[in-house]
Amino acid sequence: MSVPAFSDIAKAANDLLNKDFYHLSAGTLEVKSNTPNNVAFKVTGKSGHDSVTSGTIEGKYTDKPNGLTLTQTWNTANMLETKIEFADNLAKGLKAEGIFSFLPATQARGAKFNLHFKQSNFHGRAFFDLLKGPTASIDAIVGHEGFLAGASAGYDVQKAKVTGYSAAIGYQAPTYSAAITATDNLSVFSASYYHKVNSQVEAGSKATWNSKSGNTVGLEVAAKYRLDPVSFVKAKINDRGVAAVAYNVLLREGVTLGVGASFDTQKLDQATHKVGTSFTFES
């Protein structure tokens, strides 16, 4: 198995716990389309529970033979962002990307330069914010026979000091994975586990302890069950009694519906529940 990026060492468990739960927004609409000349368009709109609506339009051009990807986005906050990626041009496994943003209302500008280098047993990344600081963030993971170990660090060039550091270890196999991370200057510790029980059932859990806020350990557990080839259900609950359920179904080719809800099991008599829906159209 390939070595993941540092932020993805617990990806399987995190995806099971956080992905495809639709209650966070009252409504989500996503439309995707592709053209014959390798241009993909995506429009996303969200309506929050506070009645605030937001949206993003994205266009992406991909030139695979030359390793070039150009992405342009524009959102309802009137922020423009351009991302240019070059993959495998200078060396195999090396990807360089530049991200440039502009906010017309305030004339604010952003410029970032990132490097990703991936080999069979190594995955390293470097992120540079050229206009703020400038700052740099570097992380790397090495892997051997499923065992993973990595670390990350941030540095502020102007202040000449380390701004943060983290470490992680893990193990991944085809049907299960586990990871322990120490973030926020080794003060927040998390342990996660994911298991693909069979082709229909997946289960996972995560425990988190913030050493700065006391001895309380937060716990989340989640499960996913595939009903048939085109639909599945998910459920999760945490140590505070907050539960969430979700249902996802492919209505027809290119049309996906997601429905989700969350509720506080200790306050069922109060209006703390949230319900959300999601529609995705793809062509």
Side-chain angles (χ1 to χ4, degrees):
M1 298 179 68
S2 62
V3 175
F6 180 81
S7 60
D8 291 336
I9 193 169
K11 187 178 187 301
N14 288 335
D15 282 354
L16 185 63
L17 287 163
N18 301 310
K19 196 175 179 181
D20 296 324
F21 285 101
Y22 307 104
H23 62 275
L24 297 178
S25 298
T28 302
L29 177 64
E30 188 172 79
V31 181
K32 303 177 183 179
S33 63
N34 297 279
T35 66
N37 58 343
N38 301 321
V39 178
F41 293 97
K42 182 172 71 172
V43 179
T44 304
K46 292 185 178 182
S47 176
H49 294 287
D50 54 1
S51 300
V52 175
T53 302
S54 62
T56 302
I57 182 170
E58 175 186 288
K60 178 184 288 188
Y61 170 72
T62 304
D63 183 1
K64 287 186 178 181
N66 294 312
L68 169 67
T69 302
L70 176 63
T71 306
Q72 179 68 56
T73 61
W74 187 24
N75 62 28
T76 49
N78 198 22
M79 186 178 77
L80 299 164
E81 183 179 275
T82 301
K83 183 177 181 180
I84 305 173
E85 302 173 64
F86 294 95
D88 300 321
N89 293 89
L90 300 177
K92 187 176 180 181
L94 177 63
K95 182 175 75 170
E97 58 186 28
I99 304 173
F100 309 95
S101 60
F102 177 61
L103 194 63
T106 61
Q107 299 295 303
R109 293 173 172 82
K112 297 179 181 181
F113 177 69
N114 305 326
L115 291 172
H116 303 251
F117 185 61
K118 187 175 182 179
Q119 297 294 301
S120 59
N121 60 352
F122 175 83
H123 196 150
R125 305 181 301 173
F127 305 92
F128 304 95
D129 193 323
L130 305 179
L131 300 183
K132 293 182 179 179
T135 62
S137 178
I138 299 173
D139 62 51
I141 279 194
V142 294
H144 180 68
E145 296 182 351
F147 291 96
L148 306 168
S152 71
Y155 185 76
D156 190 311
V157 176
Q158 189 174 23
K159 296 179 180 179
K161 72 173 185 178
V162 175
T163 56
Y165 47 89
S166 305
I169 58 173
Y171 181 80
Q172 61 178 11
T175 59
Y176 64 91
S177 63
I180 298 175
T181 62
T183 58
D184 194 14
N185 298 336
L186 308 185
S187 65
V188 180
F189 301 88
S190 297
S192 60
Y193 177 73
Y194 166 83
H195 186 194
K196 186 173 184 179
V197 181
N198 52 46
S199 60
Q200 291 179 296
V201 180
E202 299 174 47
S205 63
K206 184 177 182 179
T208 304
W209 174 53
N210 188 337
S211 62
K212 294 180 179 179
S213 61
N215 294 321
T216 303
V217 176
L219 179 64
E220 287 182 285
V221 294
K224 177 179 177 180
Y225 180 73
R226 183 162 290 281
L227 301 169
D228 52 54
V230 297
S231 65
F232 63 83
V233 292
K234 294 183 70 175
K236 68 175 180 178
I237 190 170
N238 62 26
D239 61 291
R240 299 182 303 278
V242 179
V245 293
Y247 172 69
N248 177 288
V249 59
L250 181 67
L251 298 176
R252 53 177 293 181
E253 186 176 356
V255 181
T256 303
L257 167 67
V259 181
S262 72
F263 48 92
D264 192 329
T265 59
Q266 299 181 15
K267 300 178 181 178
L268 293 176
D269 58 334
Q270 301 180 24
T272 59
H273 60 278
K274 295 180 179 178
V275 178
T277 57
S278 171
F279 275 100
T280 301
F281 299 90
E282 189 170 359
S283 62

